[in-house]
């Protein structure tokens, strides 16, 4: 169980959205305000971690034939728990995210991690995997929200940050955010579906560019080291 | 045969355990969720027309100008009526509550359910300044209310013409529904 | 009757499941490299969505609501959908094996298609009756099929285009999908019979 490696993987090299290319529905749909993004990201992180731990705990007694059905039942259970708790305690987030909270059940990230990781690893490793993959997902959501909100409405932190009486976080979604430039000058098309598609496309392109560059660099270094070794002989 | 039976039993057991846990959580939260819903409706009614109590007139749901009239309630202090309407917004249905006084003028607008885009159409329902300013334009309007683009007085929300037009039509329809009561 | 037509046109054009509501993006991006695979996938999704809408409405109205078990909706619906997809798979394997092998891995993936669970949950949220739910399910699927077939034809052309290396794979598809979404925006605000 290598925590540093899992951290780097979850955030960058094996990021669920930009590298594994799964879980994109919600990413594009709800990233219109920072409140949505952080709320959704943390919900997915909690559900992913709980599901990973649950699946890992019973991995030795699940019959192989019906494992997918059992995963789905466990995930649906945790999603409903989070849904009920959000409706009761943070109703603004529940209204804002709407049908996408129950849709976390079919979010490929959670089923994917259960299938690929937690059914083959210990509870501890699965716990950290859930946390780091969830963190990676949340980071992608935050980046997309900030980008879309900035260009679309000229503000940062809509729904979450309120600066009218000094800086504070509003957990009931009423914060108006920091208006960096007048909303009339924003390209409000970024708040619409088009903005979602384009932002995610650009984000994945940027990530792919940097990952390829670093992969090429590593290859060049390895080749140079091999050359140096040959010469030394 | 035995294997299928065993698999079914295991699946059923896990479903039962999960359903049981959910039932527990539901017990803890349903009262609070119900309360939040009732408070929301009560707040919306009070925001548009203040009164101690409202009496539902039990009118048949109808449609005026593509706006569905869901219910009309009379304020017990005689100040007027509260009409609940539903219309098509940009991303789905929007349900709002309109207060109408005895002179057939709007006393206030409050949006209770919507799925409009955050930052655009959702601003119509927002408690922030932009939402408050938009909704306060309708106070005192009669059933000829229209957007500035259509020759009227209402400033549409930036980038949310469809939602703004929907709210305007909803207010007009609500006033007409009250007029039709006689 | 007019309500049915407005639901239908709404689901296909105005609030298209992919380009407006983002439900069903994963198979939309993963399964659309060729027009014939896309058409097959689209038809399977239409069938599953219509049938799932019908069955889940019945389960919800006659089982969950009378017993006050609405909080079990998500769990019940996803189990119904998983079972339904299993049956569709078995049925296709026996009667249309060519389609079954063409769809391959994508058939079981309909279970995790956001559009199927999404349409069932939206039926509950919008308080539709039985006919309206089935119509919304089928036409939602038709909208999905329209989107995926249109996109597949665009993607077949992208293969010959000259784009920067870092856009290889999903990014260029997402950008093209965004432009299609922009085109579909032209339908928004269309009011048919209210």
């Amino acid at each position: 169980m290598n925590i540093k490696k899992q951290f780097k993987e979850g955030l960058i090299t094996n990021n669920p959205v930009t590298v594994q290319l799964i879980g994109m529905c919600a990413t594009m749909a709800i990233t219109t305000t920072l409140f949505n993004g952080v709320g959704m990201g943390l919900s997915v992180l909690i559900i992913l971690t709980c599901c990973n731990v649950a699946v890992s705990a019973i991995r030795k007694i699940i019959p192989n034939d019906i494992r997918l059905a059992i995963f789905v039942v466990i995930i649906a259970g945790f999603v409903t728990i989070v849904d009920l708790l959000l409706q009761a305690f943070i109703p603004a987030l529940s209204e804002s995210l709407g049908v996408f909270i129950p849709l976390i059940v079919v979010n490929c990230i959670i089923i994917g991690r259960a299938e690929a990781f937690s059914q083959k690893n210990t509870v501890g490793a699965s716990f950290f995997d859930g946390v780091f993959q969830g963190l990676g997902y949340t980071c992608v959501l935050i980046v997309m929200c900030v980008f879309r909100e900035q260009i679309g409405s000229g503000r940062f932190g809509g729904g979450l940050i309120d600066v009218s009486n000094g800086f504070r976080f509003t957990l009931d979604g009423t914060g108006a955010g920091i208006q960096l430039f007048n909303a009339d000058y924003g390209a409000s098309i970024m708040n619409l579906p088009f903005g979602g598609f384009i932002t995610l496309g650009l984000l994945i392109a940027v990530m792919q560019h940097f990952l390829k560059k670093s992969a090429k660099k590593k290859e060049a270094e390895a080749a140079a080291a091999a050359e140096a070794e040959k010469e030394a002989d | 045969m035995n294997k299928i039976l065993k698999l079914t039993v295991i699946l059923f057991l896990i479903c039962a355990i999960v359903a049981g846990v959910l039932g527990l959580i539901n017990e803890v939260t349903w009262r609070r969720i119900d309360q939040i819903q009732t408070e929301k409706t009560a707040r919306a009614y009070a925001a548009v027309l203040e009164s101690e109590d409202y009496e539902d007139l039990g009118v048949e749901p109808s449609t005026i100008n593509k706006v569905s009239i869901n219910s009309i309630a009379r304020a017990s202090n005689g100040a007027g009526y509260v009409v609940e309407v539903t219309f098509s917004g940009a991303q789905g249905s929007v349900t709002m509550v309109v207060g109408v006084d005895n002179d057939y003028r709007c006393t206030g607008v409050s949006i209770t359910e919507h799925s409009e885009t955050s930052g655009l159409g959702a601003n119509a329902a927002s408690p922030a300044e932009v939402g408050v300013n938009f909704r306060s334009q309708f106070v005192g309007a009669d059933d000829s209310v229209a957007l500035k683009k259509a020759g009227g007085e209402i400033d549409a929300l930036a980038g949310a013409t469809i939602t703004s037009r929907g709210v305007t039509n909803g207010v007009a329809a609500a006033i007409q529904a009250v007029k039709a009561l006689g | 009757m007019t309500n049915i037509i407005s639901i239908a046109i709404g689901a296909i054009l105005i609030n298209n499941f992919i380009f407006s509501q983002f439900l069903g993006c994963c198979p939309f991006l993963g399964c659309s490299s060729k027009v014939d695979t896309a058409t097959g996938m689209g038809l399977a999704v239409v069938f599953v969505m219509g049938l799932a809408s019908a069955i889940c409405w019945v389960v919800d109205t006659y089982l969950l609501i009378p017993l006050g078990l609405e909080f079990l909706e998500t769990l019940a619906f996803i189990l119904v959908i998983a079972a339904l997809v299993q049956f569709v798979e078995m049925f296709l394997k026996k009667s249309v094996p060519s389609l079954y092998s063409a769809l391959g891995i994508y058939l079981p993936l309909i279970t995790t298609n956001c559009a199927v669970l999404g349409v069932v949950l939206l039926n509950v949220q919008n308080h539709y009756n039985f006919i309206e739910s089935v119509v919304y399910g089928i036409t939602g699927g038709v909208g999905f099929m329209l989107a995926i077939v249109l996109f597949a034809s665009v993607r077949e052309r992208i293969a010959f285009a000259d784009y920067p290396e870092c856009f290889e794979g999903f990014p260029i598809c997402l950008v093209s999908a965004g432009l299609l979404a922009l085109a579909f925006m032209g339908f928004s605000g269309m009011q048919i019979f209210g």
Side-chain angles (χ1 to χ4, degrees):
Chain A
M1 176 165 90
N2 189 339
I3 297 194
K4 248 177 100 179
K5 176 167 166 252
Q6 279 186 297
F7 177 72
K8 188 167 170 231
E9 270 187 11
L11 246 61
I12 307 178
T13 51
N14 205 18
N15 185 298
V17 180
T18 53
V19 177
Q20 294 180 53
L21 302 172
I22 50 179
M24 288 182 285
C25 294
T27 315
M28 291 187 278
I30 51 102
T31 45
T32 45
T33 59
L34 196 59
F35 182 62
N36 285 357
V38 172
M40 178 62 132
L42 290 179
S43 307
V44 169
L45 191 153
I46 293 174
I47 295 174
L48 182 58
T49 312
C50 292
C51 289
N52 268 10
V53 166
V55 168
S56 187
I58 60 173
R59 73 183 183 281
K60 300 241 168 74
I61 57 178
I62 307 179
N64 200 34
D65 293 334
I66 50 167
R67 67 180 193 285
L68 280 176
I70 296 183
F71 293 164
V72 166
V73 169
I74 295 178
I75 297 173
F78 281 115
V79 167
T80 312
I81 292 178
V82 167
D83 188 15
L84 287 175
L85 290 176
L86 280 179
Q87 275 183 47
F89 297 109
I90 315 184
L93 187 63
S94 181
E95 263 184 58
S96 208
L97 292 178
V99 76
F100 283 98
I101 297 183
L103 280 179
I104 299 179
V105 174
V106 289
N107 191 326
C108 305
I109 299 178
I110 308 190
I111 299 189
R113 286 332 270 173
E115 174 80 7
F117 195 91
S118 20
Q119 67 165 345
K120 304 172 189 152
N121 287 284
T122 60
V123 174
S126 303
F127 173 79
F128 282 111
D129 179 72
V131 168
F132 294 139
Q133 291 275 320
L135 265 177
Y137 183 69
T138 311
C139 285
V140 167
L141 284 183
I142 293 181
V143 168
M144 281 192 63
C145 282
V146 167
F147 187 72
R148 278 177 83 179
E149 238 191 318
Q150 204 43 67
I151 302 191
S153 335
R155 82 183 156 192
F156 174 79
L160 193 61
I161 297 179
D162 187 22
V163 285
S164 50
N165 285 329
F167 190 91
R168 69 186 177 97
F169 287 112
T170 52
L171 287 178
D172 56 358
T174 51
I178 306 174
Q179 200 76 29
L180 285 164
F181 56 82
N182 195 320
D184 289 340
Y185 300 127
S188 57
I189 197 165
M190 291 304 277
N191 287 327
L192 295 172
F194 168 77
F197 279 112
I198 298 279
T199 313
L200 186 61
L202 289 175
L203 184 62
I204 299 181
V206 165
M207 282 286 288
Q208 282 189 346
H209 177 75
F210 283 116
L211 282 177
K212 273 207 187 111
K213 242 171 94 170
S214 101
K216 271 195 201 143
K217 215 171 105 182
K218 280 207 184 106
E219 255 186 57
E221 279 173 7
E227 280 285 320
E229 254 192 52
K230 256 209 254 173
E231 282 192 25
D233 286 337
Chain B
M1 190 59 219
N2 254 344
K3 189 167 168 222
I4 298 187
L5 197 60
K6 184 174 150 209
L7 292 178
T8 320
V9 166
I10 293 185
L11 190 56
F12 184 73
L13 263 172
I14 297 198
C15 283
I17 296 177
V18 170
V21 170
L22 289 181
L24 274 169
I25 305 272
N26 190 50
E27 261 310 299
V28 168
T29 54
W30 77 267
R31 269 181 208 91
R32 206 185 143 116
I33 296 178
D34 255 356
Q35 203 189 14
I36 293 181
Q37 255 327 101
T38 353
E39 270 174 19
K40 203 169 83 160
T41 328
R43 254 204 314 269
Y45 273 41
V48 301
L49 191 69
E50 282 230 20
S51 170
E52 257 122 52
D53 204 7
Y54 305 90
E55 174 208 332
D56 195 342
L57 296 177
V59 293
E60 281 289 315
S62 59
T63 309
I64 301 181
N65 268 347
K66 299 183 185 155
V67 175
S68 307
I69 313 285
N70 302 340
S71 72
I72 307 183
R74 186 203 337 254
S76 57
N77 60 6
Y81 301 85
V82 176
V83 187
E84 193 186 316
V85 303
T86 303
F87 58 86
S88 292
Q91 303 253 38
S93 304
V94 178
T95 304
M96 73 179 185
V97 158
V98 182
V100 182
D101 66 15
N102 295 315
D103 297 322
Y104 304 123
R105 286 187 174 273
C106 173
T107 58
V109 162
S110 191
I111 299 189
T112 49
E113 256 184 68
H114 74 91
S115 44
E116 306 294 271
T117 321
S118 291
L120 293 179
N123 278 338
S126 156
E129 208 184 307
V130 57
V132 169
N133 286 345
F134 174 69
R135 292 189 298 274
S136 59
Q137 292 179 98
F138 292 97
V139 176
D142 61 17
D143 66 352
S144 66
V145 62
L147 290 178
K148 274 203 179 137
K149 306 184 195 203
E153 311 246 306
I154 307 286
D155 263 324
L157 283 167
T161 318
I162 298 170
T163 315
S164 310
R165 189 182 307 130
V167 173
T168 314
N169 289 343
V171 170
I175 298 179
Q176 284 171 16
V178 172
K179 272 190 186 166
L181 280 180
Chain C
M1 185 59 206
T2 55
N3 198 17
I4 306 275
I5 300 183
S6 82
I7 292 179
I9 303 202
I12 301 179
L13 295 176
I14 311 176
N15 282 322
N16 185 287
F17 264 65
I18 303 257
F19 292 128
S20 188
Q21 301 191 59
F22 286 113
L23 298 172
C25 285
C26 288
F28 170 73
L29 290 167
C31 203
S32 52
S33 32
K34 283 185 143 91
V35 178
D36 15 8
T37 330
T39 320
M41 175 63 149
L43 287 170
V45 167
V46 170
F47 182 66
V48 171
M49 272 170 86
L51 212 50
S53 286
I55 299 180
C56 288
W57 187 90
V58 170
V59 167
D60 195 41
T61 313
Y62 294 116
L63 192 65
L64 295 178
I65 294 185
L67 292 177
L69 293 173
E70 285 98 333
F71 61 94
L72 285 181
E73 265 164 11
T74 314
L75 182 60
F77 290 163
I78 192 66
L79 283 176
V80 166
I81 293 173
L84 191 61
V85 171
Q86 197 66 36
F87 279 124
V88 168
E89 212 183 322
M90 292 197 295
F91 173 75
L92 276 185
K93 201 168 172 185
K94 286 216 177 92
S95 41
V96 195
S98 53
L99 185 58
Y100 176 76
S101 49
L103 287 177
I105 182 93
Y106 295 117
L107 200 46
L109 279 182
I110 298 182
T111 319
T112 58
N113 188 335
C114 295
V116 186
L117 185 60
V119 80
V120 171
L121 291 169
L122 283 173
N123 282 335
V124 170
Q125 200 180 74
N126 291 334
H127 306 292
Y128 284 155
N129 63 27
F130 183 70
I131 305 278
E132 288 170 340
S133 300
V134 174
V135 167
Y136 195 44
I138 295 181
T139 49
V142 170
F144 175 84
M145 189 166 96
L146 179 68
I148 200 174
V149 167
L150 281 176
F151 190 58
S153 21
V154 167
R155 251 183 107 163
E156 282 184 356
R157 295 288 200 95
I158 292 182
F160 301 114
D162 194 20
Y163 47 81
E165 199 188 304
C166 62
F167 275 85
E168 175 105 38
F170 269 33
I172 192 68
C173 294
L174 283 168
V175 171
S176 326
L179 292 172
L180 271 173
L182 197 58
F184 266 75
M185 252 173 73
F187 292 114
S188 69
M190 211 156 92
Q191 277 185 317
I192 321 188
F193 315 117

